[in-house]
Short mmCIF file of all heavy atoms in Angstrom, two decimals:
data_model
loop_
_atom_site.label_atom_id
_atom_site.label_comp_id
_atom_site.label_asym_id
_atom_site.label_seq_id
_atom_site.Cartn_x
_atom_site.Cartn_y
_atom_site.Cartn_z
N MET A 11 0.84 -1.20 0.00
CA MET A 11 0.00 0.00 0.00
C MET A 11 0.87 1.25 0.00
O MET A 11 0.55 2.22 -0.65
CB MET A 11 -0.93 -0.04 1.20
CG MET A 11 -1.90 1.12 1.26
SD MET A 11 -3.37 0.92 0.28
CE MET A 11 -4.42 0.11 1.43
N LYS A 12 1.99 1.21 0.74
CA LYS A 12 2.86 2.37 0.80
C LYS A 12 3.43 2.70 -0.58
O LYS A 12 3.49 3.87 -0.96
CB LYS A 12 3.99 2.15 1.80
CG LYS A 12 4.88 3.35 1.96
CD LYS A 12 5.93 3.14 3.01
CE LYS A 12 6.81 4.38 3.11
NZ LYS A 12 7.84 4.25 4.12
N ALA A 13 3.82 1.69 -1.33
CA ALA A 13 4.37 1.91 -2.67
C ALA A 13 3.31 2.56 -3.58
O ALA A 13 3.62 3.49 -4.33
CB ALA A 13 4.86 0.61 -3.28
N LEU A 14 2.06 2.09 -3.48
CA LEU A 14 0.99 2.66 -4.28
C LEU A 14 0.76 4.12 -3.91
O LEU A 14 0.53 4.97 -4.78
CB LEU A 14 -0.29 1.85 -4.12
CG LEU A 14 -1.46 2.24 -5.01
CD1 LEU A 14 -1.08 2.19 -6.49
CD2 LEU A 14 -2.65 1.36 -4.74
N ASN A 15 0.83 4.42 -2.62
CA ASN A 15 0.67 5.82 -2.20
C ASN A 15 1.77 6.71 -2.76
O ASN A 15 1.51 7.83 -3.18
CB ASN A 15 0.63 5.92 -0.67
CG ASN A 15 -0.69 5.46 -0.10
OD1 ASN A 15 -1.70 5.44 -0.78
ND2 ASN A 15 -0.67 5.07 1.15
N ILE A 16 3.00 6.21 -2.76
CA ILE A 16 4.11 6.99 -3.30
C ILE A 16 3.96 7.18 -4.80
O ILE A 16 4.14 8.30 -5.32
CB ILE A 16 5.46 6.32 -2.95
CG1 ILE A 16 5.69 6.42 -1.43
CG2 ILE A 16 6.61 6.97 -3.71
CD1 ILE A 16 6.85 5.59 -0.94
N ILE A 17 3.61 6.12 -5.51
CA ILE A 17 3.43 6.21 -6.97
C ILE A 17 2.32 7.20 -7.31
O ILE A 17 2.49 8.06 -8.19
CB ILE A 17 3.14 4.82 -7.56
CG1 ILE A 17 4.39 3.94 -7.47
CG2 ILE A 17 2.67 4.92 -9.00
CD1 ILE A 17 4.13 2.46 -7.71
N THR A 18 1.19 7.08 -6.63
CA THR A 18 0.08 7.98 -6.95
C THR A 18 0.41 9.42 -6.56
O THR A 18 0.02 10.35 -7.27
CB THR A 18 -1.23 7.52 -6.28
OG1 THR A 18 -1.06 7.43 -4.87
CG2 THR A 18 -1.70 6.19 -6.85
N LEU A 19 1.15 9.61 -5.48
CA LEU A 19 1.55 10.97 -5.10
C LEU A 19 2.47 11.57 -6.16
O LEU A 19 2.31 12.74 -6.55
CB LEU A 19 2.23 10.97 -3.74
CG LEU A 19 2.67 12.34 -3.21
CD1 LEU A 19 1.48 13.28 -3.10
CD2 LEU A 19 3.35 12.18 -1.87
N VAL A 20 3.41 10.79 -6.67
CA VAL A 20 4.30 11.28 -7.73
C VAL A 20 3.49 11.65 -8.98
O VAL A 20 3.72 12.69 -9.60
CB VAL A 20 5.38 10.22 -8.06
CG1 VAL A 20 6.13 10.56 -9.34
CG2 VAL A 20 6.36 10.09 -6.90
N LEU A 21 2.52 10.82 -9.32
CA LEU A 21 1.68 11.11 -10.49
C LEU A 21 0.86 12.38 -10.28
O LEU A 21 0.69 13.18 -11.22
CB LEU A 21 0.78 9.93 -10.82
CG LEU A 21 1.52 8.73 -11.42
CD1 LEU A 21 0.61 7.51 -11.46
CD2 LEU A 21 2.06 9.05 -12.79
N VAL A 22 0.35 12.59 -9.08
CA VAL A 22 -0.39 13.82 -8.79
C VAL A 22 0.53 15.04 -8.90
O VAL A 22 0.14 16.08 -9.44
CB VAL A 22 -1.06 13.74 -7.39
CG1 VAL A 22 -1.58 15.09 -6.96
CG2 VAL A 22 -2.18 12.71 -7.41
N ILE A 23 1.76 14.91 -8.44
CA ILE A 23 2.72 16.00 -8.56
C ILE A 23 3.02 16.29 -10.03
O ILE A 23 3.05 17.45 -10.45
CB ILE A 23 4.00 15.69 -7.76
CG1 ILE A 23 3.69 15.71 -6.26
CG2 ILE A 23 5.12 16.67 -8.11
CD1 ILE A 23 4.79 15.15 -5.39
N ILE A 24 3.22 15.24 -10.81
CA ILE A 24 3.45 15.42 -12.25
C ILE A 24 2.27 16.13 -12.89
O ILE A 24 2.44 17.05 -13.70
CB ILE A 24 3.73 14.06 -12.93
CG1 ILE A 24 5.10 13.55 -12.49
CG2 ILE A 24 3.65 14.16 -14.44
CD1 ILE A 24 5.38 12.11 -12.87
N GLY A 25 1.06 15.72 -12.52
CA GLY A 25 -0.14 16.37 -13.05
C GLY A 25 -0.20 17.83 -12.66
O GLY A 25 -0.56 18.70 -13.47
N GLY A 26 0.17 18.12 -11.41
CA GLY A 26 0.18 19.51 -10.96
C GLY A 26 1.19 20.35 -11.72
O GLY A 26 0.93 21.50 -12.08
N ILE A 27 2.36 19.77 -11.97
CA ILE A 27 3.37 20.48 -12.75
C ILE A 27 2.86 20.73 -14.16
O ILE A 27 3.04 21.82 -14.72
CB ILE A 27 4.70 19.71 -12.75
CG1 ILE A 27 5.31 19.74 -11.34
CG2 ILE A 27 5.67 20.26 -13.78
CD1 ILE A 27 6.49 18.80 -11.15
N ASN A 28 2.21 19.72 -14.74
CA ASN A 28 1.66 19.90 -16.09
C ASN A 28 0.64 21.04 -16.11
O ASN A 28 0.65 21.88 -17.01
CB ASN A 28 1.04 18.59 -16.59
CG ASN A 28 0.70 18.66 -18.06
OD1 ASN A 28 1.57 18.84 -18.89
ND2 ASN A 28 -0.59 18.51 -18.39
N TRP A 29 -0.26 21.08 -15.11
CA TRP A 29 -1.24 22.17 -15.05
C TRP A 29 -0.56 23.51 -14.83
O TRP A 29 -0.99 24.53 -15.37
CB TRP A 29 -2.27 21.91 -13.95
CG TRP A 29 -3.39 21.05 -14.43
CD1 TRP A 29 -3.65 19.78 -14.04
CD2 TRP A 29 -4.37 21.39 -15.42
NE1 TRP A 29 -4.74 19.31 -14.73
CE2 TRP A 29 -5.20 20.28 -15.57
CE3 TRP A 29 -4.61 22.52 -16.18
CZ2 TRP A 29 -6.26 20.26 -16.46
CZ3 TRP A 29 -5.68 22.51 -17.06
CH2 TRP A 29 -6.49 21.39 -17.19
N GLY A 30 0.52 23.52 -14.06
CA GLY A 30 1.28 24.76 -13.87
C GLY A 30 1.86 25.25 -15.18
O GLY A 30 1.83 26.46 -15.48
N LEU A 31 2.38 24.32 -15.98
CA LEU A 31 2.91 24.69 -17.29
C LEU A 31 1.81 25.22 -18.21
O LEU A 31 2.03 26.15 -18.98
CB LEU A 31 3.61 23.50 -17.94
CG LEU A 31 4.95 23.10 -17.34
CD1 LEU A 31 5.42 21.77 -17.92
CD2 LEU A 31 5.98 24.19 -17.57
N VAL A 32 0.63 24.61 -18.12
CA VAL A 32 -0.50 25.10 -18.92
C VAL A 32 -0.83 26.54 -18.52
O VAL A 32 -1.02 27.41 -19.37
CB VAL A 32 -1.74 24.19 -18.76
CG1 VAL A 32 -2.97 24.82 -19.38
CG2 VAL A 32 -1.49 22.82 -19.37
N GLY A 33 -0.86 26.80 -17.23
CA GLY A 33 -1.22 28.13 -16.75
C GLY A 33 -0.18 29.19 -17.03
O GLY A 33 -0.49 30.31 -17.38
N VAL A 34 1.10 28.82 -16.87
CA VAL A 34 2.17 29.81 -16.99
C VAL A 34 2.65 29.96 -18.43
O VAL A 34 2.90 31.07 -18.89
CB VAL A 34 3.36 29.41 -16.07
CG1 VAL A 34 4.58 30.26 -16.32
CG2 VAL A 34 2.93 29.48 -14.62
N ALA A 35 2.78 28.86 -19.14
CA ALA A 35 3.41 28.90 -20.46
C ALA A 35 2.50 28.41 -21.59
O ALA A 35 2.96 28.27 -22.72
CB ALA A 35 4.68 28.06 -20.44
N ASP A 36 1.23 28.14 -21.28
CA ASP A 36 0.29 27.60 -22.27
C ASP A 36 0.88 26.36 -22.95
O ASP A 36 0.80 26.20 -24.15
CB ASP A 36 -0.08 28.68 -23.30
CG ASP A 36 -1.32 28.30 -24.10
OD1 ASP A 36 -2.15 27.52 -23.58
OD2 ASP A 36 -1.46 28.76 -25.25
N LEU A 37 1.53 25.51 -22.14
CA LEU A 37 2.17 24.31 -22.64
C LEU A 37 1.63 23.09 -21.90
O LEU A 37 1.83 22.95 -20.69
CB LEU A 37 3.69 24.38 -22.44
CG LEU A 37 4.48 23.09 -22.72
CD1 LEU A 37 4.38 22.70 -24.19
CD2 LEU A 37 5.92 23.26 -22.30
N ASP A 38 0.92 22.24 -22.62
CA ASP A 38 0.46 20.97 -22.06
C ASP A 38 1.51 19.95 -22.43
O ASP A 38 1.54 19.42 -23.54
CB ASP A 38 -0.91 20.61 -22.63
CG ASP A 38 -1.49 19.35 -22.02
OD1 ASP A 38 -0.73 18.57 -21.42
OD2 ASP A 38 -2.71 19.16 -22.14
N LEU A 39 2.43 19.68 -21.49
CA LEU A 39 3.55 18.80 -21.77
C LEU A 39 3.09 17.37 -22.07
O LEU A 39 3.67 16.71 -22.94
CB LEU A 39 4.52 18.81 -20.59
CG LEU A 39 5.88 18.16 -20.81
CD1 LEU A 39 6.60 18.76 -22.01
CD2 LEU A 39 6.73 18.27 -19.57
N VAL A 40 2.07 16.90 -21.39
CA VAL A 40 1.55 15.56 -21.66
C VAL A 40 1.08 15.48 -23.11
O VAL A 40 1.43 14.54 -23.84
CB VAL A 40 0.40 15.19 -20.68
CG1 VAL A 40 -0.28 13.90 -21.10
CG2 VAL A 40 0.94 15.07 -19.26
N ALA A 41 0.31 16.46 -23.54
CA ALA A 41 -0.17 16.47 -24.93
C ALA A 41 1.00 16.58 -25.90
O ALA A 41 1.01 15.90 -26.95
CB ALA A 41 -1.15 17.62 -25.13
N ALA A 42 1.98 17.41 -25.57
CA ALA A 42 3.13 17.57 -26.47
C ALA A 42 3.93 16.29 -26.60
O ALA A 42 4.41 15.95 -27.68
CB ALA A 42 4.02 18.71 -25.96
N LEU A 43 4.06 15.55 -25.51
CA LEU A 43 4.84 14.32 -25.53
C LEU A 43 4.12 13.15 -26.17
O LEU A 43 4.74 12.27 -26.76
CB LEU A 43 5.25 13.92 -24.11
CG LEU A 43 6.28 14.82 -23.42
CD1 LEU A 43 6.47 14.38 -21.97
CD2 LEU A 43 7.60 14.80 -24.16
N PHE A 44 2.79 13.14 -26.04
CA PHE A 44 2.04 11.95 -26.46
C PHE A 44 1.09 12.18 -27.63
O PHE A 44 0.18 11.40 -27.83
CB PHE A 44 1.29 11.37 -25.25
CG PHE A 44 2.21 10.94 -24.15
CD1 PHE A 44 2.23 11.59 -22.94
CD2 PHE A 44 3.08 9.88 -24.33
CE1 PHE A 44 3.09 11.20 -21.92
CE2 PHE A 44 3.95 9.47 -23.32
CZ PHE A 44 3.95 10.14 -22.12
N GLY A 45 1.28 13.25 -28.39
CA GLY A 45 0.55 13.40 -29.65
C GLY A 45 -0.73 14.20 -29.59
O GLY A 45 -1.61 14.01 -30.41
N GLY A 46 -0.87 15.09 -28.63
CA GLY A 46 -2.06 15.92 -28.54
C GLY A 46 -3.02 15.43 -27.47
O GLY A 46 -2.95 14.28 -27.03
N GLN A 47 -3.92 16.34 -27.06
CA GLN A 47 -4.84 16.00 -25.98
C GLN A 47 -5.78 14.86 -26.31
O GLN A 47 -6.22 14.14 -25.42
CB GLN A 47 -5.68 17.23 -25.61
CG GLN A 47 -4.91 18.28 -24.87
CD GLN A 47 -5.80 19.44 -24.47
OE1 GLN A 47 -6.84 19.69 -25.09
NE2 GLN A 47 -5.39 20.17 -23.45
N ASP A 48 -6.08 14.67 -27.57
CA ASP A 48 -7.02 13.62 -27.96
C ASP A 48 -6.34 12.29 -28.26
O ASP A 48 -7.03 11.30 -28.52
CB ASP A 48 -7.84 14.07 -29.18
CG ASP A 48 -8.77 15.22 -28.84
OD1 ASP A 48 -9.23 15.29 -27.68
OD2 ASP A 48 -9.02 16.07 -29.73
N ALA A 49 -5.01 12.25 -28.22
CA ALA A 49 -4.29 11.00 -28.47
C ALA A 49 -4.58 10.01 -27.34
O ALA A 49 -4.71 10.40 -26.17
CB ALA A 49 -2.79 11.26 -28.58
N LEU A 50 -4.70 8.76 -27.69
CA LEU A 50 -5.05 7.73 -26.71
C LEU A 50 -4.08 7.71 -25.53
O LEU A 50 -4.51 7.66 -24.37
CB LEU A 50 -5.10 6.35 -27.38
CG LEU A 50 -5.41 5.18 -26.44
CD1 LEU A 50 -6.79 5.34 -25.82
CD2 LEU A 50 -5.30 3.87 -27.18
N LEU A 51 -2.78 7.76 -25.82
CA LEU A 51 -1.81 7.69 -24.73
C LEU A 51 -1.91 8.90 -23.80
O LEU A 51 -1.82 8.76 -22.58
CB LEU A 51 -0.40 7.57 -25.30
CG LEU A 51 0.69 7.15 -24.33
CD1 LEU A 51 0.30 5.92 -23.52
CD2 LEU A 51 1.99 6.91 -25.05
N ALA A 52 -2.14 10.08 -24.35
CA ALA A 52 -2.31 11.28 -23.51
C ALA A 52 -3.55 11.12 -22.64
O ALA A 52 -3.52 11.44 -21.45
CB ALA A 52 -2.42 12.53 -24.38
N ARG A 53 -4.62 10.62 -23.20
CA ARG A 53 -5.86 10.43 -22.43
C ARG A 53 -5.65 9.40 -21.32
O ARG A 53 -6.19 9.54 -20.23
CB ARG A 53 -7.00 10.05 -23.36
CG ARG A 53 -7.37 11.21 -24.30
CD ARG A 53 -8.45 10.82 -25.29
NE ARG A 53 -9.67 10.38 -24.65
CZ ARG A 53 -10.65 11.18 -24.27
NH1 ARG A 53 -10.57 12.47 -24.47
NH2 ARG A 53 -11.73 10.68 -23.70
N VAL A 54 -4.85 8.38 -21.59
CA VAL A 54 -4.54 7.39 -20.56
C VAL A 54 -3.76 8.05 -19.43
O VAL A 54 -4.05 7.82 -18.24
CB VAL A 54 -3.77 6.18 -21.15
CG1 VAL A 54 -3.18 5.30 -20.07
CG2 VAL A 54 -4.66 5.38 -22.08
N VAL A 55 -2.77 8.88 -19.78
CA VAL A 55 -1.99 9.58 -18.76
C VAL A 55 -2.91 10.47 -17.93
O VAL A 55 -2.84 10.48 -16.69
CB VAL A 55 -0.84 10.39 -19.39
CG1 VAL A 55 -0.19 11.31 -18.37
CG2 VAL A 55 0.18 9.46 -20.00
N TYR A 56 -3.79 11.25 -18.59
CA TYR A 56 -4.72 12.11 -17.86
C TYR A 56 -5.59 11.29 -16.91
O TYR A 56 -5.82 11.68 -15.76
CB TYR A 56 -5.64 12.88 -18.82
CG TYR A 56 -4.93 13.86 -19.74
CD1 TYR A 56 -5.32 13.98 -21.07
CD2 TYR A 56 -3.91 14.67 -19.29
CE1 TYR A 56 -4.70 14.88 -21.91
CE2 TYR A 56 -3.28 15.57 -20.13
CZ TYR A 56 -3.68 15.67 -21.44
OH TYR A 56 -3.07 16.56 -22.27
N ALA A 57 -6.08 10.14 -17.38
CA ALA A 57 -6.96 9.30 -16.56
C ALA A 57 -6.20 8.73 -15.36
O ALA A 57 -6.72 8.71 -14.24
CB ALA A 57 -7.54 8.17 -17.41
N VAL A 58 -4.98 8.27 -15.58
CA VAL A 58 -4.18 7.70 -14.49
C VAL A 58 -3.86 8.77 -13.45
O VAL A 58 -3.92 8.51 -12.24
CB VAL A 58 -2.91 7.02 -15.05
CG1 VAL A 58 -1.95 6.65 -13.94
CG2 VAL A 58 -3.28 5.80 -15.86
N VAL A 59 -3.53 9.97 -13.90
CA VAL A 59 -3.26 11.07 -12.97
C VAL A 59 -4.53 11.41 -12.18
O VAL A 59 -4.48 11.61 -10.96
CB VAL A 59 -2.69 12.30 -13.69
CG1 VAL A 59 -2.65 13.52 -12.79
CG2 VAL A 59 -1.30 12.00 -14.23
N GLY A 60 -5.67 11.44 -12.85
CA GLY A 60 -6.93 11.71 -12.17
C GLY A 60 -7.28 10.65 -11.14
O GLY A 60 -7.69 10.96 -10.02
N LEU A 61 -7.08 9.39 -11.50
CA LEU A 61 -7.33 8.30 -10.55
C LEU A 61 -6.36 8.37 -9.38
O LEU A 61 -6.73 8.08 -8.24
CB LEU A 61 -7.22 6.94 -11.26
CG LEU A 61 -8.34 6.62 -12.25
CD1 LEU A 61 -7.99 5.36 -13.05
CD2 LEU A 61 -9.67 6.47 -11.54
N SER A 62 -5.13 8.78 -9.65
CA SER A 62 -4.15 8.95 -8.59
C SER A 62 -4.59 10.02 -7.60
O SER A 62 -4.43 9.87 -6.39
CB SER A 62 -2.78 9.30 -9.16
OG SER A 62 -2.28 8.23 -9.93
N ALA A 63 -5.16 11.11 -8.13
CA ALA A 63 -5.66 12.17 -7.25
C ALA A 63 -6.79 11.65 -6.37
O ALA A 63 -6.84 11.94 -5.17
CB ALA A 63 -6.12 13.36 -8.08
N LEU A 64 -7.67 10.86 -6.95
CA LEU A 64 -8.75 10.27 -6.15
C LEU A 64 -8.19 9.35 -5.08
O LEU A 64 -8.65 9.35 -3.94
CB LEU A 64 -9.73 9.51 -7.05
CG LEU A 64 -10.57 10.37 -7.98
CD1 LEU A 64 -11.39 9.48 -8.92
CD2 LEU A 64 -11.48 11.30 -7.20
N TRP A 65 -7.18 8.55 -5.43
CA TRP A 65 -6.57 7.65 -4.47
C TRP A 65 -5.95 8.43 -3.31
O TRP A 65 -6.01 8.00 -2.16
CB TRP A 65 -5.50 6.79 -5.15
CG TRP A 65 -4.85 5.83 -4.21
CD1 TRP A 65 -3.68 6.01 -3.53
CD2 TRP A 65 -5.35 4.56 -3.82
NE1 TRP A 65 -3.42 4.92 -2.74
CE2 TRP A 65 -4.42 4.01 -2.90
CE3 TRP A 65 -6.48 3.81 -4.16
CZ2 TRP A 65 -4.60 2.76 -2.32
CZ3 TRP A 65 -6.64 2.56 -3.57
CH2 TRP A 65 -5.71 2.06 -2.66
N GLN A 66 -5.35 9.57 -3.60
CA GLN A 66 -4.67 10.37 -2.59
C GLN A 66 -5.63 11.01 -1.59
O GLN A 66 -5.19 11.51 -0.56
CB GLN A 66 -3.78 11.44 -3.24
CG GLN A 66 -2.48 10.89 -3.77
CD GLN A 66 -1.62 10.29 -2.69
OE1 GLN A 66 -1.40 10.89 -1.64
NE2 GLN A 66 -1.12 9.09 -2.94
N ILE A 67 -6.91 10.96 -1.86
CA ILE A 67 -7.89 11.47 -0.89
C ILE A 67 -7.85 10.62 0.38
O ILE A 67 -7.97 11.14 1.48
CB ILE A 67 -9.31 11.51 -1.50
CG1 ILE A 67 -9.37 12.58 -2.60
CG2 ILE A 67 -10.36 11.76 -0.43
CD1 ILE A 67 -10.65 12.57 -3.41
N MET A 68 -7.66 9.31 0.23
CA MET A 68 -7.66 8.41 1.39
C MET A 68 -6.55 8.74 2.39
O MET A 68 -6.83 8.91 3.58
CB MET A 68 -7.61 6.95 0.94
CG MET A 68 -8.90 6.51 0.26
SD MET A 68 -9.01 4.75 -0.04
CE MET A 68 -7.67 4.50 -1.17
N PRO A 69 -5.28 8.86 1.96
CA PRO A 69 -4.25 9.22 2.94
C PRO A 69 -4.49 10.61 3.54
O PRO A 69 -4.19 10.83 4.72
CB PRO A 69 -2.94 9.21 2.14
CG PRO A 69 -3.23 8.43 0.92
CD PRO A 69 -4.69 8.51 0.67
N LEU A 70 -5.05 11.51 2.77
CA LEU A 70 -5.35 12.84 3.30
C LEU A 70 -6.38 12.74 4.41
O LEU A 70 -6.22 13.36 5.48
CB LEU A 70 -5.86 13.74 2.17
CG LEU A 70 -6.28 15.14 2.59
CD1 LEU A 70 -5.09 15.94 3.09
CD2 LEU A 70 -6.95 15.86 1.42
N LEU A 71 -7.43 11.96 4.20
CA LEU A 71 -8.46 11.80 5.23
C LEU A 71 -7.90 11.09 6.47
O LEU A 71 -8.21 11.47 7.59
CB LEU A 71 -9.66 11.04 4.67
CG LEU A 71 -10.46 11.77 3.60
CD1 LEU A 71 -11.55 10.87 3.05
CD2 LEU A 71 -11.03 13.07 4.12
N ARG A 72 -7.05 10.08 6.24
CA ARG A 72 -6.44 9.38 7.38
C ARG A 72 -5.54 10.32 8.17
O ARG A 72 -5.54 10.29 9.40
CB ARG A 72 -5.64 8.17 6.90
CG ARG A 72 -6.50 6.98 6.57
CD ARG A 72 -5.67 5.71 6.44
NE ARG A 72 -4.64 5.80 5.43
CZ ARG A 72 -4.79 5.40 4.16
NH1 ARG A 72 -5.93 4.88 3.76
NH2 ARG A 72 -3.79 5.51 3.31
N ALA A 73 -4.77 11.15 7.48
CA ALA A 73 -3.89 12.09 8.16
C ALA A 73 -4.71 13.11 8.95
O ALA A 73 -4.35 13.46 10.07
CB ALA A 73 -2.99 12.80 7.15
N GLY A 74 -5.82 13.55 8.38
CA GLY A 74 -6.69 14.48 9.09
C GLY A 74 -7.29 13.85 10.33
O GLY A 74 -7.33 14.47 11.39
N ALA A 75 -7.72 12.61 10.21
CA ALA A 75 -8.30 11.91 11.36
C ALA A 75 -7.24 11.69 12.44
O ALA A 75 -7.50 11.86 13.63
CB ALA A 75 -8.90 10.58 10.92
N ALA A 76 -6.03 11.34 12.04
CA ALA A 76 -4.95 11.13 13.00
C ALA A 76 -4.59 12.45 13.68
O ALA A 76 -4.33 12.49 14.88
CB ALA A 76 -3.72 10.54 12.31
N GLY A 77 -4.61 13.53 12.93
CA GLY A 77 -4.32 14.85 13.49
C GLY A 77 -5.36 15.27 14.51
O GLY A 77 -5.03 15.83 15.56
N ARG A 78 -6.62 14.98 14.21
CA ARG A 78 -7.69 15.30 15.17
C ARG A 78 -7.53 14.48 16.44
O ARG A 78 -7.65 15.00 17.55
CB ARG A 78 -9.07 15.04 14.55
CG ARG A 78 -9.57 16.16 13.68
CD ARG A 78 -11.05 15.99 13.37
NE ARG A 78 -11.35 14.72 12.71
CZ ARG A 78 -11.27 14.51 11.41
NH1 ARG A 78 -10.89 15.48 10.62
NH2 ARG A 78 -11.58 13.34 10.90
N ALA A 79 -7.23 13.21 16.29
CA ALA A 79 -7.07 12.34 17.47
C ALA A 79 -5.88 12.81 18.29
O ALA A 79 -5.94 12.85 19.52
CB ALA A 79 -6.87 10.89 17.02
N GLN A 80 -4.81 13.19 17.63
CA GLN A 80 -3.63 13.66 18.35
C GLN A 80 -3.92 14.98 19.04
O GLN A 80 -3.51 15.18 20.19
CB GLN A 80 -2.46 13.82 17.37
CG GLN A 80 -1.14 14.08 18.03
CD GLN A 80 -0.01 14.12 17.03
OE1 GLN A 80 -0.18 14.48 15.88
NE2 GLN A 80 1.17 13.73 17.49
N ALA A 81 -4.64 15.87 18.38
CA ALA A 81 -4.98 17.16 18.99
C ALA A 81 -5.87 16.96 20.22
O ALA A 81 -5.69 17.62 21.24
CB ALA A 81 -5.68 18.05 17.97
N GLU A 82 -6.81 16.03 20.13
CA GLU A 82 -7.69 15.78 21.29
C GLU A 82 -6.92 15.12 22.43
O GLU A 82 -7.21 15.38 23.59
CB GLU A 82 -8.87 14.90 20.85
CG GLU A 82 -9.85 15.70 20.00
CD GLU A 82 -11.12 14.90 19.70
OE1 GLU A 82 -11.38 13.92 20.40
OE2 GLU A 82 -11.83 15.33 18.78
N ALA A 83 -5.91 14.32 22.11
CA ALA A 83 -5.12 13.69 23.16
C ALA A 83 -4.30 14.73 23.93
O ALA A 83 -4.02 14.53 25.11
CB ALA A 83 -4.18 12.64 22.55
N HIS A 84 -3.95 15.81 23.30
CA HIS A 84 -3.14 16.86 23.95
C HIS A 84 -3.97 18.02 24.45
O HIS A 84 -3.42 18.99 24.96
CB HIS A 84 -2.09 17.37 22.96
CG HIS A 84 -1.09 16.34 22.58
ND1 HIS A 84 -0.21 15.79 23.50
CD2 HIS A 84 -0.83 15.72 21.41
CE1 HIS A 84 0.54 14.90 22.90
NE2 HIS A 84 0.19 14.82 21.62
N ARG A 85 -5.28 17.92 24.34
CA ARG A 85 -6.15 19.01 24.80
C ARG A 85 -6.18 19.02 26.33
O ARG A 85 -6.34 17.96 26.95
CB ARG A 85 -7.54 18.80 24.23
CG ARG A 85 -8.45 20.00 24.46
CD ARG A 85 -9.74 19.84 23.74
NE ARG A 85 -10.44 18.64 24.23
CZ ARG A 85 -11.55 18.17 23.71
NH1 ARG A 85 -12.09 18.74 22.68
NH2 ARG A 85 -12.12 17.10 24.21
N PRO A 86 -6.02 20.19 26.93
CA PRO A 86 -6.08 20.25 28.40
C PRO A 86 -7.48 19.88 28.91
O PRO A 86 -8.48 20.24 28.30
CB PRO A 86 -5.73 21.69 28.72
CG PRO A 86 -5.80 22.45 27.46
CD PRO A 86 -5.78 21.48 26.33
N HIS A 87 -7.51 19.16 30.01
CA HIS A 87 -8.78 18.78 30.62
C HIS A 87 -9.19 19.82 31.64
O HIS A 87 -8.36 20.33 32.39
CB HIS A 87 -8.67 17.41 31.29
CG HIS A 87 -8.33 16.34 30.32
ND1 HIS A 87 -9.27 15.76 29.50
CD2 HIS A 87 -7.14 15.73 30.01
CE1 HIS A 87 -8.67 14.83 28.75
NE2 HIS A 87 -7.39 14.82 29.03
N HIS A 88 -10.48 20.14 31.69
CA HIS A 88 -10.95 21.14 32.65
C HIS A 88 -11.62 20.47 33.82
O HIS A 88 -12.31 19.60 33.85
CB HIS A 88 -11.94 22.09 32.02
CG HIS A 88 -11.33 22.92 30.91
ND1 HIS A 88 -10.04 23.38 30.94
CD2 HIS A 88 -11.84 23.39 29.75
CE1 HIS A 88 -9.79 24.08 29.86
NE2 HIS A 88 -10.87 24.09 29.11
#
């Protein structure tokens, strides 16, 4: 599970960098590398990055729940 979390996190970062390039330089690197936005391989990359983002919701929720539990454990008692 840890390896999958790392892989999906890397893919989400790559997707974020690609979106940053789109915003700053009007360059969709995925499309440029794989034959345009409508090319099958580019669409597969977009889909895998999107699924990776969905997967990363789970560790985010777990981290939030752990943070809440830790905060409550350190809360002063009245």
Side-chain angles (χ1 to χ4, degrees):
M11 183 83 89
K12 183 176 179 179
L14 186 57
N15 284 338
I16 292 170
I17 291 166
T18 57
L19 181 58
V20 168
L21 288 169
V22 168
I23 291 169
I24 290 169
I27 291 169
N28 191 61
W29 275 112
L31 288 171
V32 170
V34 171
D36 196 26
L37 170 64
D38 184 342
L39 191 56
V40 171
L43 291 174
F44 299 113
Q47 287 183 336
D48 293 329
L50 178 62
L51 194 49
R53 293 176 59 87
V54 168
V55 170
Y56 296 140
V58 169
V59 169
L61 290 171
S62 295
L64 291 174
W65 181 265
Q66 282 299 311
I67 292 171
M68 291 190 297
L70 177 66
L71 293 176
R72 282 195 301 267
R78 278 193 302 275
Q80 189 175 30
E82 287 187 18
H84 295 295
R85 190 172 61 186
H87 299 280
H88 296 325

